[in-house]
Amino acid sequence: MPLHTAVVLLAAAVIGLVIAALTVLSGTHPATAALAGMTAAGASITVLRTLIR
């Protein structure tokens, strides 16, 4: 796996975990927080891919 891909996926995973944790702390159901985290991670991949070069 190229270094660029590893950095993008790691940053996306961190973003997803942060969003999920903040969603849980706001009082929503954990399943909803997991979906929010996965959505944020998926959406951030395309942005991170262009920003990290």
Side-chain angles (χ1 to χ4, degrees):
M1 176 183 322
L3 181 61
H4 180 263
T5 304
V7 170
V8 167
L9 292 177
L10 181 64
V14 169
I15 289 171
L17 287 172
V18 168
I19 294 299
L22 289 174
T23 306
V24 165
L25 290 175
S26 71
T28 61
H29 195 271
T32 306
L35 287 174
M38 287 188 287
T39 302
S44 68
I45 288 176
T46 55
V47 176
L48 289 170
R49 186 173 165 259
T50 58
L51 287 177
I52 302 174
R53 289 233 174 217

